[in-house]
Amino acid sequence: MLARQGFPFDATRRRVDHGFFGPGSPTWKVWTSPTALLGFQRSIAVEAFDPFLAAAVTDTQGIYTDPMGRLDSTLTYFTIVAVGDSRSAIEAAELLQKVHARATGIEPVSGKRYSANDPDSQLWIHMTGWHSVLKCYEMFGPGKLSAEDEARYWADCVIAAELQTCDPAKVPTSRDGVRQYFEDERSRLCWTEHSDRLARQILYPPATTTNPMIAAVARRLTPAVIATLPRWMRQLSSIDQNAAIDAAVIPTMRALMASVTPLPIRTRVARLAAPSLVSVWENALQGEPPLTDTIVTPTEARARYGRTAVAASGD
């Protein structure tokens, strides 16, 4: 994902439907938890191991002028897909693909071309996002989903992939499948100069480009993010900490996340770290009922609200 894009989410516009998953889904539960903020900080750190993505993000420079803005915009996009109505999700997805179409260049280590809309790159972003948010929900939130809810969560992950350029047929459908996906990807991952700069910008945001208070809070959350990373990533990147910190940070962060779970407190915290996210949460959890009490597919939504459909209707 690129820097802040100003996704076209209008919180005052009444929802047309329940989106792709609905308020009773595990996806809504996981993506509206305060642990989602930690999950997305983690996902960007993991994304950095893809040298092509690290090069694309670095070349756009937005991450270095506004690191928390990038976290905000990327998390907001994913949350619109997870809990927004289908019209907002299609609008955000089409805008993102348009922005990504301009992000092409050369990865400096391999000398190969990169494209932000490359299907494999988009799959990597998609999987790191959905996996990291669930990982932090399990470690620092209510814990593991039931077997039924987890199966549905990964099925929802496949559906959400239809909003990006990746092939939904390649999206893992189970925890074992997700493990295998990351294992299969491992041989192409590495830690470059761009990777290091990208990850450290989001884990240790400098006060010079971020509100000093937000930068300080983000730095205090970073040990929890590091505790979720597999050992090989920590060793390769040198973003690591000792076992005593790992052991101490987990119960501390669980207590903190529990204390900010009530919606009014959760939204106040989110307003500091990811302000664009708040309107998506409030629209889904506190807004008026949707115009239609339905859950739709991305294909149906695209046929109704995609640019081609809107242009054909003359709206």
Side-chain angles (χ1 to χ4, degrees):
M1 295 292 165
L2 304 180
R4 189 191 301 267
Q5 303 301 337
F7 289 114
F9 184 79
D10 182 355
T12 66
R13 185 175 64 178
R14 191 167 177 182
R15 299 166 63 84
V16 295
D17 49 38
H18 289 302
F20 307 125
F21 312 115
S25 68
T27 291
W28 275 49
K29 187 188 308 182
V30 171
W31 283 89
T32 60
S33 168
T35 56
L37 297 168
L38 276 173
F40 237 80
Q41 193 178 13
R42 178 191 193 272
S43 75
I44 295 175
V46 174
E47 283 176 16
F49 285 84
D50 178 346
F52 296 95
L53 182 142
V57 173
T58 298
D59 287 350
T60 64
Q61 285 296 305
I63 185 69
Y64 304 116
T65 58
D66 185 14
M68 298 311 292
R70 181 178 186 275
L71 175 67
D72 179 23
S73 65
T74 309
L75 178 53
T76 299
Y77 166 75
F78 271 78
T79 307
I80 290 171
V81 172
V83 306
D85 68 330
S86 66
R87 176 172 58 184
S88 297
I90 292 297
E91 290 171 349
E94 290 191 339
L95 174 60
L96 188 63
Q97 288 187 26
K98 182 178 179 180
V99 171
H100 279 171
R102 300 194 296 267
T104 61
I106 302 295
E107 194 284 309
V109 175
S110 65
K112 296 180 179 178
R113 293 197 64 80
Y114 69 76
S115 168
N117 271 334
D118 175 77
D120 289 336
S121 180
Q122 285 295 297
L123 180 58
W124 174 250
I125 294 170
H126 183 71
M127 291 310 304
T128 55
W130 278 71
H131 173 260
S132 292
V133 168
L134 180 60
K135 177 83 172 178
C136 288
Y137 181 88
E138 292 178 338
M139 285 189 67
F140 307 120
K144 286 192 174 183
L145 300 174
S146 68
E148 181 181 0
D149 276 355
E150 184 174 348
R152 185 174 173 188
Y153 181 83
W154 293 121
D156 290 353
C157 177
V158 177
I159 293 170
E162 295 181 38
L163 275 290
Q164 294 170 248
T165 61
C166 47
D167 180 358
K170 293 184 177 181
V171 182
T173 58
S174 67
R175 185 179 292 261
D176 286 343
V178 172
R179 289 196 186 102
Q180 189 60 54
Y181 169 77
F182 283 110
E183 186 60 33
D184 291 344
E185 290 295 294
R186 184 169 171 176
S187 64
R188 74 174 189 84
L189 303 178
C190 64
W191 198 248
T192 68
E193 188 176 328
H194 285 334
S195 301
D196 194 72
R197 190 180 177 198
L198 164 59
R200 292 182 187 279
Q201 278 290 109
I202 210 70
L203 293 175
Y204 307 101
T208 54
T209 55
T210 305
N211 178 295
M213 182 179 69
I214 296 175
V217 170
R219 285 168 174 264
R220 289 184 177 274
L221 298 179
T222 292
V225 174
I226 294 173
T228 70
L229 298 176
R231 180 58 55 188
W232 72 266
M233 284 188 172
R234 293 162 67 158
Q235 291 173 342
L236 180 61
S237 66
S238 296
I239 295 177
D240 202 358
Q241 61 199 14
N242 63 48
I245 296 177
D246 284 351
V249 77
I250 293 174
T252 300
M253 194 55 59
R254 282 178 181 161
L256 177 61
M257 290 295 106
S259 73
V260 300
T261 294
L263 187 59
I265 303 175
R266 190 190 331 170
T267 53
R268 284 202 295 271
V269 171
R271 204 177 301 279
L272 290 173
S276 300
L277 172 67
V278 175
S279 60
V280 184
W281 277 0
E282 290 181 337
N283 184 260
L285 301 175
Q286 295 182 310
E288 291 184 85
L291 296 172
T292 60
D293 186 23
T294 57
I295 295 171
V296 302
T297 68
T299 299
E300 291 170 332
R302 195 173 286 109
R304 295 171 188 168
Y305 308 116
R307 274 195 295 267
T308 301
V310 170
S313 69
D315 291 342

